[in-house]
């Protein structure tokens, strides 16, 4: 929880997309703009522009036989930075019904045993909000149960395991208008961005 002199709530806005001009980036910009308009302090963690290495190597593989864990300087610093925030918002495209490898690698390395869970540790935030951009149509996605699969993975399998039970996912559907035509793609994208920014008010 934020304990500094600035009493405004702080959000870490984590996102993963290789293109800085993508719809994902526009959603991030919209969330940031709305959050700042609501008086929140926002810090972006743009994993691609940061040059984050998503590969978990030996130095970050938990040593289950040892009571004291040691990790890489990069993973340790990113984990410790979470102490400054009240909420986390994660924005990403859904690829193969899962998070991108870049984001998965961040979770593997930073939200790691000995850093944010295990031995009484937890991610010290009040909530995690996931914003998932789905290329396909909502009806087809839900018919196959992919929404439930991702909710179980992200909210139950990751957030709650790291000590944050208040975790929800906002799905933004048909982002590439492939499975369902959009008469005006820019207007369609504007609606999706507004859906994402709507989650901010609940964090104030």
């Amino acid at each position: 929880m934020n304990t500094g002199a600035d009493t405004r709530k702080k959000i870490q806005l984590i996102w993963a997309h290789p293109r800085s001009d993508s719809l994902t980036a526009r959603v991030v910009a919209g969330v940031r703009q709305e959050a700042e308009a609501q008086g929140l302090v926002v810090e972006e963690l743009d994993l691609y522009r940061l040059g984050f290495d998503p590969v978990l190597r030996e130095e970050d593989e938990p040593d289950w036989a040892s009571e004291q864990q040691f990790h890489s300087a990069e993973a340790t610093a990113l984990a410790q930075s979470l102490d400054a925030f009240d909420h986390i918002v994660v924005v990403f495209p859904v690829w193969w019904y899962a998070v991108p490898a870049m984001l998965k690698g961040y979770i593997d390395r930073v939200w790691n045993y000995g850093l944010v869970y295990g031995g009484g540790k937890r991610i010290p935030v009040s909530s995690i909000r996931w914003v998932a951009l789905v290329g396909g149509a909502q009806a087809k996605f839900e018919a196959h149960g992919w929404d439930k699969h991702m909710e179980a993975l992200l909210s139950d399998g990751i957030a709650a395991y790291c000590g944050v039970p208040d975790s929800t996912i906002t799905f933004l559907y048909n982002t590439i208008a492939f499975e369902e035509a959009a008469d005006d793609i820019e207007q369609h994208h504007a609606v999706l961005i507004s859906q994402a920014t709507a989650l901010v008010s609940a964090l104030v």
Side-chain angles (χ1 to χ4, degrees):
M1 187 69 67
N2 177 24
T3 57
D6 190 341
T7 59
R8 293 178 297 168
K9 290 184 179 180
K10 295 185 67 177
I11 293 176
Q12 185 171 52
L13 184 52
I14 303 170
W15 66 287
H17 198 289
R19 296 193 179 97
S20 59
D21 61 350
S22 61
L23 178 58
T24 300
R26 292 170 59 196
V27 169
V28 168
V31 170
R32 179 175 193 133
Q33 183 178 17
E34 179 64 21
E36 291 176 342
Q38 296 278 355
L40 299 166
V41 178
V42 181
E43 181 178 303
E44 282 186 38
L45 183 61
D46 177 352
L47 295 173
Y48 275 93
R49 261 54 63 182
L50 178 66
F52 181 78
D53 179 5
V55 179
L56 189 149
R57 305 183 191 281
E58 183 177 355
E59 59 186 344
D60 285 321
E61 167 66 17
D63 181 358
W64 302 102
S66 175
E67 292 185 2
Q68 188 171 6
Q69 301 291 312
F70 297 95
H71 300 84
S72 66
E74 181 181 37
T76 300
L78 287 171
Q80 291 175 346
S81 74
L82 296 171
D83 292 341
F85 301 101
D86 299 281
H87 305 283
I88 296 172
V89 178
V90 188
V91 185
F92 61 94
V94 174
W95 291 342
W96 293 111
Y97 311 106
V99 301
M102 177 64 82
L103 178 56
K104 181 58 164 60
Y106 166 81
I107 294 170
D108 286 345
R109 292 188 58 208
V110 180
W111 296 10
N112 199 353
Y113 176 75
L115 285 177
V116 304
Y117 78 93
K121 292 183 172 66
R122 65 178 295 274
I123 297 179
V125 299
S126 298
S127 71
I128 300 175
R129 297 291 179 259
W130 310 85
V131 181
L133 284 77
V134 181
Q138 180 174 357
K140 185 175 180 180
F141 195 81
E142 293 180 347
H144 288 282
W146 292 117
D147 57 326
K148 300 301 182 185
H149 159 75
M150 293 193 68
E151 287 168 358
L153 170 65
L154 299 177
S155 291
D156 298 332
I158 295 177
Y161 204 82
C162 292
V164 189
D166 184 0
S167 169
T168 61
I169 307 175
T170 297
F171 291 99
L172 308 181
Y173 288 104
N174 203 39
T175 59
I176 59 177
F178 176 71
E179 293 178 346
E180 287 182 352
D183 295 333
D184 185 333
I185 190 65
E186 284 303 314
Q187 177 60 28
H188 174 57
H189 285 170
V191 170
L192 296 180
I193 293 170
S194 69
Q195 290 174 6
T197 59
L199 65 86
V200 173
S201 60
L203 302 180
V204 177

